């Protein structure tokens, strides 16, 4: 009673979906600020080094594991080595946690897409975002840290995002995920290109570009700049948390793996640099309007960049509503296609272990995730929780997962040669021996150092001045949740023979 494994319709569908996963909020709201803070033009050096020595090598490792063992992260890792199933579940847990807050940001973008049309934020975008829209509680002050005061303006789009996501996931890999990407990714490229060209023609654009790209070469001597580059590459390429394992498991048996990997990696980086150009050109315009230097602007990173600074730009430019709609529309598409990929990780894992079909899996996983997402992030304390959980999931969770993957697969199991052979048998571009050094030495060394230094910094300095009990529960608690969740899921019984490749769902 086994049906064949789901498949992409072809290589293009896979590439577009993998690009859809990689190109996300990280490209638009993370990269420009990170580059600016870490040496500007000089940041491109560590960034490219990180891409070549860690990003692409791990991307190929993920592809090889997913394609060779043809399963979701837990199933694929288990087939590689029984005990590695737990690592797969750890990645599934990371994906789940990221999905619940990532959906909230997509929901904000959806609201702001609508608000663009009448410039709803008025003259005070900062007050509008945290006050009128998020209704952020006075944390640590008069209000408490955790409330269940729901904010309807966030709740409604958030529920909508979840409903659409579940419908697409339930429709399957080819008819749901792939179709959504085939429509949305070209649309994103067009919308974003228009946006960038428009930004470049604004007054002051050149000052913005100078601010971003003027190299501060001394930054290259700062280890934190290098760490920032590796962290950006990992998050941005969607590697080491199960996504690329899952996506490549749906490719046909004899598929070219390396060239699509390179296409995806370079598409993602191009999009990132394009976003940097567009965002900073627009910031140059804002500075020009205010008669100050770009360096004096505030709010150049994270949520504030997208939801406060950008609205301010939109308000001041001719045909602002159109520009705003393009920007927030791009954000919605970029975020939504990434959200699909991350939930597919969770859904695929449950289908395979518990022998349920994709509709049931997306319904069950999706309902749980949606409830957690709504409870946690549509309340007046949602932003703080999001910020804290994001910081731990990214800086500790993903990094730990990448280090563990490399150490266990390359050193403990010594599978690298077999995986390289697998990559090379069908692919046109051959992976050389340098790959062993990348996944076996560079990644464990750089990321191991990064992991330890981040854990120490978080333990000693805390985060954003938040109360230590709060960081204990929402920061370190996130890590405990990942580990306990992974242990419990590993311990449950397989309802389907995990060693039958190519036969999911039952
Ligand atoms: N690569 C994504 C980005 O740049 C990160 C991501 C992917 C996050 C999938 C969540 C889900 O934004
Ligand atoms: Na990205």
């Amino acid at each position: 009673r086994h049906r064949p494994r789901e498949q992409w319709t072809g290589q293009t569908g896979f590439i577009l979906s993998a690009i859809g996963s990689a190109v996300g909020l990280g490209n638009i709201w993370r990269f420009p600020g990170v580059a600016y803070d870490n040496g500007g033009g000089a940041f491109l050096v560590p960034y490219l080094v990180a891409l070549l020595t860690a990003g692409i090598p791990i991307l190929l490792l993920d592809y090889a594991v997913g394609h060779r063992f043809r399963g979701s992260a837990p199933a694929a890792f288990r087939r590689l080595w029984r005990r590695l199933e737990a690592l797969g579940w750890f990645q599934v847990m990371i994906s789940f946690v990221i999905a619940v807050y990532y959906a909230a940001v997509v929901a904000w973008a959806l609201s702001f897409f609508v608000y663009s049309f009448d410039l709803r934020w008025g003259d005070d975008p900062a007050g509008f975002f945290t006050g009128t829209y998020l209704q952020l509680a006075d944390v640590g002050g008069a209000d408490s840290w955790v409330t269940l005061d729901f904010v309807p303006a966030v709740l409604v789009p958030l529920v909508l995002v979840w409903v659409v996501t579940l419908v697409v996931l339930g429709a399957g890999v080819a008819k749901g995920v792939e179709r959504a990407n085939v429509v949305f990714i070209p649309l994103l490229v067009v919308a974003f290109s228009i946006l960038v060209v428009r930004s470049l023609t604004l007054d002051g654009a050149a000052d913005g570009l100078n601010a971003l790209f003027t190299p501060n070469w001394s930054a290259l001597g700062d280890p934190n700049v290098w760490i920032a580059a590796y962290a950006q590459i990992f998050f941005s390429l969607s590697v080491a948390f199960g996504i690329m394992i899952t996506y490549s498991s749906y490719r046909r048996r004899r598929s070219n793996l390396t060239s699509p990997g390179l296409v995806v990696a370079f598409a993602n980086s191009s999009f990132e640099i394009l976003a940097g150009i567009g965002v900073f050109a627009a910031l140059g315009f804002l500075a020009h309007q205010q008669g100050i230097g770009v360096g004096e602007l505030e709010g150049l990173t994270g949520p504030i960049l997208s939801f406060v600074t950008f609205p301010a730009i939109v308000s001041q430019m001719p045909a602002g509503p159109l520009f705003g709609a393009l920007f927030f529309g791009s954000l919605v598409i970029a975020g939504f296609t990434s959200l699909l990929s991350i939930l597919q990780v969770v859904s695929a894992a449950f289908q395979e272990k518990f022998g349920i079909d994709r509709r049931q899996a997306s319904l069950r996983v999706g309902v749980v995730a949606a409830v957690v997402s709504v409870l946690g992030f549509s309340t007046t304390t949602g932003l703080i929780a999001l910020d804290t959980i994001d910081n731990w999931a990214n800086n500790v969770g993903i990094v730990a997962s990448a280090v563990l993957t490399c150490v266990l697969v390359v050193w403990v199991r010594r599978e690298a040669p077999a995986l390289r052979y697998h990559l090379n048998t069908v692919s046109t571009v051959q992976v050389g021996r340098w790959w062993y050094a990348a996944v076996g030495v560079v990644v464990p060394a750089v990321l191991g150092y990064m992991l330890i230094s981040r854990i120490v910094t978080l333990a000693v300095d805390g985060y954003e001045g938040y109360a230590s009990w709060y960081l204990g529960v929402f920061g370190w608690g996130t890590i405990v949740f990942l580990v306990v969740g992974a242990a419990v899921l590993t311990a449950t019984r397989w309802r389907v023979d995990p060693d039958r490749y190519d036969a999911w769902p039952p």
Side-chain angles (χ1 to χ4, degrees):
R1 247 184 18 94
H2 281 91
R3 270 188 265 137
R5 186 174 187 77
E6 292 189 77
Q7 285 186 338
W8 304 107
T9 60
Q11 176 151 304
T12 315
F14 166 74
I15 291 182
L16 286 174
S17 305
I19 293 178
S21 170
V23 173
L25 305 174
N27 299 56
I28 301 176
W29 84 5
R30 209 164 175 275
F31 175 83
V34 170
Y36 178 73
D37 285 341
N38 290 283
F43 183 72
L44 293 179
V45 175
Y47 177 82
L48 285 176
V49 171
L51 177 68
L52 297 174
T53 59
I56 291 175
I58 294 243
L59 184 70
L60 294 177
L61 178 76
D62 273 357
Y63 279 4
V65 169
H67 189 253
R68 175 156 187 243
F69 298 104
R70 307 192 70 67
S72 63
F77 276 126
R78 183 189 163 103
R79 291 168 192 164
L80 193 153
W81 181 31
R82 260 183 94 88
R83 297 215 197 141
L84 271 192
E85 183 185 334
L87 177 62
W89 285 111
F90 184 67
Q91 299 191 345
V92 170
M93 293 297 297
I94 296 181
S95 297
F96 177 85
V97 166
I98 296 184
V100 295
Y101 69 74
Y102 207 80
V105 185
V106 178
W108 301 347
L110 195 57
S111 299
F112 275 68
F113 172 75
V114 175
Y115 298 163
S116 294
F117 291 97
D118 59 1
L119 305 178
R120 188 85 52 96
W121 43 78
D123 304 326
D124 177 21
F128 180 83
F129 178 56
T130 53
T132 317
Y133 181 65
L134 293 180
Q135 299 185 21
L136 203 60
D138 172 17
V139 167
D143 303 332
S144 59
W145 287 81
V146 182
T147 66
L148 280 183
D149 300 334
F150 291 102
V151 182
V154 180
L155 190 121
V156 172
L158 184 53
V159 171
L160 188 69
V161 167
W162 280 107
V163 170
V164 176
T165 304
L166 296 199
V167 169
V168 174
L169 281 188
V173 171
K175 296 217 176 83
V177 176
E178 178 177 327
R179 231 182 237 178
N181 280 291
V182 166
V183 173
F184 280 137
I185 294 308
L187 196 64
L188 176 64
V189 171
V190 172
F192 210 74
S193 307
I194 298 176
L195 196 84
V196 171
V197 171
R198 176 68 188 110
S199 301
L200 286 173
T201 53
L202 290 167
D203 292 333
D207 299 335
L209 296 185
N210 283 333
L212 174 62
F213 288 116
T214 302
N216 166 14
W217 296 113
S218 66
L220 297 186
D222 178 354
N224 288 322
V225 168
W226 289 83
I227 289 188
Y230 278 86
Q232 173 63 23
I233 286 289
F234 266 73
F235 184 75
S236 189
L237 274 181
S238 312
V239 285
F241 45 118
I243 299 183
M244 290 302 156
I245 294 180
T246 309
Y247 268 20
S248 61
S249 76
Y250 299 118
R251 299 208 59 201
R252 283 169 213 288
R253 272 197 180 277
R254 299 190 60 76
S255 298
N256 186 351
L257 295 172
T258 53
S259 354
L262 296 176
V263 170
V264 171
F266 286 110
N268 179 60
S269 289
S270 311
F271 202 95
E272 209 144 63
I273 291 170
L274 202 66
I277 292 174
V279 165
F280 269 81
L283 290 172
F285 166 75
L286 184 64
H288 179 83
Q289 294 298 98
Q290 299 182 353
I292 57 176
V294 177
E296 294 161 67
L297 287 172
E298 279 169 20
L300 302 189
T301 49
I304 302 300
L305 171 66
S306 300
F307 295 102
V308 175
T309 312
F310 247 84
I313 296 170
V314 168
S315 290
Q316 299 200 19
M317 62 188 280
L322 181 63
F323 187 83
L326 281 174
F327 178 75
F328 289 108
S330 299
L331 217 50
V332 171
I333 295 179
F336 177 66
T337 48
S338 296
L339 183 63
L340 286 179
S341 71
I342 204 162
L343 277 161
Q344 183 67 32
V345 172
V346 186
S347 166
F350 278 82
Q351 288 174 44
E352 294 174 13
K353 186 147 196 180
F354 300 105
I356 51 181
D357 71 20
R358 60 169 187 260
R359 287 203 184 77
Q360 284 176 318
S362 45
L363 197 67
R364 292 186 204 176
V365 167
V367 167
V368 174
V371 169
V372 175
S373 181
V374 166
L375 287 178
F377 306 109
S378 67
T379 70
T380 56
T381 46
L383 179 66
I384 302 132
L386 191 149
D387 185 33
T388 308
I389 296 172
D390 173 66
N391 190 52
W392 262 263
N394 278 310
N395 290 331
V396 182
I398 299 182
V399 182
S401 168
V403 174
L404 284 171
T405 306
C406 287
V407 169
L408 293 169
V409 171
V410 178
W411 292 105
V412 177
R413 293 309 286 177
R414 304 205 167 262
E415 284 282 338
L419 292 172
R420 176 168 157 245
Y421 177 79
H422 183 85
L423 287 170
N424 283 346
T425 36
V426 187
S427 301
T428 42
V429 178
Q430 297 288 298
V431 178
R433 289 176 191 278
W434 59 270
W435 186 68
Y436 299 141
V439 292
V441 182
V442 178
V443 174
V446 176
L447 297 199
Y449 171 77
M450 178 163 151
L451 181 63
I452 292 167
S453 73
R454 294 225 159 161
I455 289 177
V456 170
T457 311
L458 289 172
V460 174
D461 302 344
Y463 181 64
E464 298 276 329
Y466 295 160
S468 43
W469 71 266
Y470 185 81
L471 298 182
V473 174
F474 284 86
W476 302 109
T478 297
I479 303 300
V480 173
F481 177 71
L482 296 178
V483 172
V484 171
V488 169
L489 287 161
T490 307
T492 53
R493 195 168 59 81
W494 283 82
R495 304 293 160 78
V496 183
D497 177 5
D499 298 318
R500 275 203 59 164
Y501 289 36
D502 254 337
W504 317 94

